[in-house]
Amino acid sequence: MGGRSLDRGQFSPGSPALPPIRGFLESSFIDWPGRLCAILFVGGCNFRCPFCHNHPLVLAPEALPEIPFAHILQRLTPRRKWLDGICISGGEPTLSPALPGLIGFLKDEGWAVKLDTNGSRPEVLETLLAGRLLDMVAMDVKAPLVQEAYDRCAGVQVDLARIAKSVNLLQRSGVAHEFRITVAPALHGEEDILALARQLATAGSRLKLQNFNPKTTLDPRFEGKQGFAPEEFGRLARIVAELAGSWA
Ligand code: SF4
């Protein structure tokens, strides 16, 4: 891959060889199941999900300072004994043409890499999977693959064929992956959730249901809305887990 051509001398802010990194978390226990990972946040996204909590990264990434990659490497290198990998999140990282190069470099440095994606760029996912550059992928799936429902949850008109292709690529990939479904009563009925879980449940795929949290949402009107009540969410999560488990 072209990624192998990166060298440390290219790691200056604004280098076209790097996606702009707008956020950096040195360690997280919750973003990669069973692993402790660092997270790099790439700015920019092509969706406008009303419940998005990362909206500064989505709406105005250039207003956030770009973190020099040399600084990130300086912080990561002494931590590699206890870090299990690096998660690349966003925003939507696959929008950056420099993403394969960055991941190629990290893999060459011996890091395991997880990618978070909304699945709208299957051609990027395909390239990364074919190059064996990913150890784990988490794909957010917003709604059942029905145009009106998906557009409402993503806040833009979505090409569903591209989403379906990404789902299919992951299901056939042999790479560890998780489909994440963030649910909100204002957007999803029980039937929507179960229909989506049925569409996604296949052997080897993890399904993760996440409850909507009304804290700092992209669409301010969603800050006044509620997530599912804990008992109701627990019930739905158990049904989804059973659907997923039936394929295990
Ligand atoms: S939640 Fe939606 S808008 Fe926010 S980063 Fe993910 S895909 Fe983009």
Side-chain angles (χ1 to χ4, degrees), residues 45 47-49 51-52 54 58 90-92 118 140 142 218:
C45 187
F47 285 7
R48 294 291 181 272
C49 310
F51 48 79
C52 177
N54 282 347
V58 171
E92 176 48 41
N118 63 21
D140 288 334
K142 309 294 179 184
L218 184 146

Side-chain angles (χ1 to χ4, degrees), residues 51 53 142-144 152-153 181-196 208-215 222 224-240:
F51 48 79
H53 298 301
K142 309 294 179 184
R152 190 172 62 240
C153 294
I181 312 165
T182 300
V183 291
L187 294 170
H188 305 90
E190 178 167 343
E191 272 317 304
D192 298 323
I193 297 167
L194 300 190
L196 180 52
K208 183 179 178 190
L209 206 61
Q210 303 183 138
N211 201 359
F212 164 71
N213 175 351
K215 208 170 81 180
F222 270 67
K225 300 191 189 297
Q226 294 298 315
F228 283 93
E231 319 77 58
E232 181 63 356
F233 179 75
R235 186 181 70 80
L236 291 167
R238 276 193 298 280
I239 298 174
V240 168

Side-chain angles (χ1 to χ4, degrees), residues 28-72:
S28 164
F29 285 103
I30 59 172
D31 283 82
W32 190 334
R35 295 203 189 194
L36 177 64
C37 66
I39 309 181
L40 310 184
F41 294 90
V42 178
C45 187
N46 50 350
F47 285 7
R48 294 291 181 272
C49 310
F51 48 79
C52 177
H53 298 301
N54 282 347
H55 49 87
L57 268 173
V58 171
L59 298 176
E62 56 293 331
L64 301 169
E66 185 174 342
I67 302 174
F69 199 71
H71 165 78
I72 292 170

